[in-house]
């Protein structure tokens, strides 16, 4: 029996929880189903794997670029509390719950494939590390509530499988608004924040132009390059915060901010300022690497998914990580990041002054990494339905969610609530809290309540899929009606004497390199 547990842990920890391997295997399976040659299968699988490794490399660069800035912000504000970091809390929990997490994740992925095959929710969740995070959370809250190991694996696996197909469905009306087609879905447990951002954009941005539609003077046209604009913005933010931090804590402490993660501290004030400039430029490079990785994976995975759609899960749609939407509105990513972080800071103030004294909620510090990835994606969703105002307001609300929801989640994590870290994204917060309190109701009652919650989520997702997604509802249609018509992105101008082409309302353009989506299964 030991070999079975070891094998399951290897499969989860070394393959399924590694998005690059999982994406490569799925791409290979799709190309094999399309009867491609061995060379095409290997080439496509390797290129898809490299695309996800590029995204990971860019994410690592983002983390490294933001680490000193986070130290400066905390030092300047004097804030202390819990910093949500998914990887940290999962690493702590693995030592105690590793085997149960592995089995729960395997059961959950199997359940999700069955649901994708036999329900209208044709979403295949491919963000392996988020599967691992949610599997760990479910294991923790069920085990802490006193549920048996069998219950943890079976009930937790069913709940995970339901989430893997349901959350992409709930977000898909807004995702299609972003991408313009049905080629990909969002497979990231920040979905509540993205839906909130899209809905907020509908409310506040009916006449607001897109973040990508910036009219700049001739001398500032270089800012239309998103990589340049992102890098310059972060350089300004870094330098300002570095000077504020230097003025507050003095040279010795300020210079050590760059020693985080094994870096070298600054040697003098000039070196300190120039390190700030370099960190801002590194951030711009990191975002560019992520965008290139996204385009690479889109070019390989979406065509390969036709094979899976035709032979295994008819009409399957791949659900991918949050950065998959970044190329569709690159300016909105930066705006969303900043707005989400501001929302986190204001929410921290409310926790400090009101909710911590009154209800004992922990102080959740705004971590720059979750605010960048979820806030950036929320900015894209808000921009899709509400332009610039939608990006700002939608991402701000995402920042509020990922501050308050982790504070609520800590209440059901038992001793793990004192580890100074927790799960950071919105769906971990609301779902973990619901399941955690339900599991405490007792062995039988708790199982019934948890399964009822899962059934309600699944039923709601099916209703959304049938009545909203498949009917073609467009959450930005009212805004389109108020915006000027433009020529469709990439459309050739009409020839002389030919009738004018029908215009389309301004939407987010498909990123360069993105493939044309396959036709629906029933297309004749």
């Amino acid at each position: 029996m030991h070999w079975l547990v070891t094998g399951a842990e290897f499969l989860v920890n070394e393959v399924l929880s590694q998005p690059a391997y999982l994406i490569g295997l799925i791409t290979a399976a799709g190309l094999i189903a399309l009867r491609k040659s061995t060379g095409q299968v290997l080439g496509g699988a390797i290129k898809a794997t490299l695309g996800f490794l590029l995204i990971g490399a860019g994410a690592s660069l983002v983390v490294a670029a933001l680490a000193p800035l986070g130290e400066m912000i905390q030092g300047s504000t004097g804030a202390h509390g819990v910093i949500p970091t998914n990887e940290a809390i999962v690493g702590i929990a693995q030592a105690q719950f590793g085997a149960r997490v592995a089995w729960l994740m395997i059961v959950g992925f199997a359940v999700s494939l069955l649901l994708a095959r036999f329900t209208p929710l044709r979403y295949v969740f491919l963000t392996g590390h988020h599967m691992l995070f949610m599997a760990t959370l479910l294991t923790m809250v069920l085990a802490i509530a006193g549920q048996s190991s069998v219950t943890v694996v079976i009930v937790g696996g069913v709940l995970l499988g339901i989430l893997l197909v349901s959350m992409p469905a709930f977000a898909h009306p807004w995702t299609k608004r972003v991408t313009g087609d049905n080629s990909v879905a969002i497979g990231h447990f920040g979905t509540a924040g993205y839906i909130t951002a899209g809905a907020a954009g509908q409310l506040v941005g009916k006449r607001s132009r897109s973040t990508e539609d910036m009219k700049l003077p001739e001398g500032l046209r270089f800012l239309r390059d998103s990589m340049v604009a992102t890098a310059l913005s972060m350089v300004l933010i870094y330098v300002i915060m570095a000077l504020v931090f230097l003025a507050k804590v003095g040279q010795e402490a300020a210079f050590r901010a760059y020693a985080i993660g094994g870096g070298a501290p600054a040697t003098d004030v000039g070196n300190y300022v120039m390190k700030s400039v370099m960190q801002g430029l590194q951030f711009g490079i990191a975002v560019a690497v992520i965008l290139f990785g996204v385009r690479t994976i889109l070019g390989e995975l979406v065509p390969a998914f036709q094979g899976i759609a035709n032979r295994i899960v008819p009409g399957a749609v791949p659900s991918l990580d949050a950065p998959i939407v970044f190329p569709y509105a690159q300016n909105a990513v930066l705006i969303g990041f900043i707005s989400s972080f501001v929302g986190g800071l204001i929410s921290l103030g409310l926790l400090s002054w009101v909710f911590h004294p009154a209800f004992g909620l922990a102080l959740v510090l705004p971590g720059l990494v979750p605010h960048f990835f979820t806030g950036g994606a929320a900015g894209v969703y808000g921009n899709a339905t509400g332009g610039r105002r939608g990006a700002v307001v939608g991402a701000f609300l995402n920042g509020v969610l990922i501050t308050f929801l982790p504070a609520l989640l800590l209440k059901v994590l038992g001793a793990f609530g004192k580890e100074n870290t927790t799960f950071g994204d919105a769906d971990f917060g609301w779902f973990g809290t619901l399941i955690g309190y339900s599991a405490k109701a007792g062995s039988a009652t708790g199982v019934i309540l948890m399964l009822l919650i899962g059934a309600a989520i699944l039923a709601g997702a099916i209703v959304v899929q049938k009545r909203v997604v498949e009917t073609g509802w467009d959450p930005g249609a009212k805004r389109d009606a108020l915006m000027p018509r433009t020529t469709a992105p990439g459309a050739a101008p009409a020839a002389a004497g030919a009738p004018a082409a029908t215009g389309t309302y301004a939407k987010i353009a498909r990123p360069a390199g993105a493939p044309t989506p396959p036709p629906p299964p029933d297309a004749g």
Side-chain angles (χ1 to χ4, degrees), residues 95-231:
Q96 183 174 345
F97 300 119
R100 277 174 282 184
V101 170
W103 285 111
L104 191 154
M105 185 171 170
I106 292 173
V107 171
F109 190 56
V111 169
S112 75
L113 292 178
L114 289 173
L115 291 173
R117 179 65 179 85
F118 296 108
T119 73
L121 305 176
R122 309 292 194 186
Y123 302 98
V124 179
F125 199 99
L126 297 179
T127 312
H129 59 295
H130 262 243
M131 277 194 276
L132 175 63
F133 297 162
M134 185 59 79
T136 304
L137 171 62
L138 288 170
T139 301
M140 290 170 66
V141 295
L142 267 65
I144 289 168
Q147 299 291 338
S148 68
S149 295
V150 173
T151 300
V152 169
V153 171
I154 301 300
V155 176
V158 170
L159 293 173
L160 176 61
I162 288 171
L163 281 188
L164 295 181
V165 296
S166 297
M167 299 315 294
F170 284 125
H172 208 51
W174 291 272
T175 304
K176 287 203 303 180
R177 173 71 183 181
V178 170
T179 64
D181 55 52
N182 196 45
S183 59
V184 295
I186 194 75
H188 188 273
F189 288 123
T191 307
Y194 310 145
I195 294 174
T196 299
Q202 293 174 247
L203 293 175
V204 304
K206 292 180 179 178
R207 293 185 181 274
S208 179
R209 290 191 174 275
S210 171
T211 57
E212 314 309 294
D213 184 23
M214 295 192 303
K215 295 183 179 179
L216 299 171
E218 189 64 33
L220 296 177
R221 289 187 68 83
F222 67 93
L223 290 176
R224 291 186 64 85
D225 186 316
S226 63
M227 182 171 68
V228 174
T230 299

Side-chain angles (χ1 to χ4, degrees), residues 296-463:
T296 302
I297 191 67
L298 279 175
E300 296 298 325
L301 180 64
V302 173
F305 233 75
Q306 295 178 59
I308 295 173
N310 293 338
R311 296 180 180 274
I312 303 173
V313 182
V317 179
S319 302
L320 303 173
D321 203 355
I324 206 72
V325 302
F326 284 7
Y328 293 91
Q330 296 171 30
N331 295 332
V333 174
L334 181 60
I335 292 172
F337 166 41
I338 296 171
S339 300
S340 181
F341 186 73
V342 171
L345 285 176
I346 293 175
S347 298
L348 173 61
L350 291 174
L351 284 171
S352 302
W353 301 325
V354 179
F355 293 94
H356 176 66
F359 303 104
L361 293 183
L363 302 184
V364 176
L365 303 184
L368 290 177
V369 174
H371 280 285
F372 171 70
F373 287 105
T374 67
V380 174
Y381 276 81
N383 177 64
T385 57
R388 299 167 192 171
R389 286 199 297 270
V392 171
V393 175
F396 178 90
L397 293 176
N398 175 78
V400 173
L401 287 177
I402 65 173
T403 303
F404 277 96
L405 289 175
L408 294 172
L409 177 62
L410 285 168
K411 294 285 190 179
V412 298
L413 291 184
F416 289 94
K418 300 177 182 178
E419 294 288 349
N420 291 326
T421 188
T422 186
F423 294 89
D425 302 328
D427 296 340
F428 298 123
W430 70 263
F431 189 68
T433 302
L434 278 178
I435 296 301
Y437 281 114
S438 299
K440 291 181 178 181
S443 297
T445 306
V447 168
I448 293 171
L449 288 175
M450 289 187 288
L451 291 178
L452 285 175
I453 291 172
I457 292 172
L458 182 63
I462 292 174
V463 170

Side-chain angles (χ1 to χ4, degrees), residues 470-498:
E470 294 181 7
T471 58
W473 176 70
D474 183 354
K478 291 183 178 179
R479 175 173 177 267
D480 286 348
L482 299 173
M483 298 297 289
R485 285 179 175 267
T486 63
T487 303

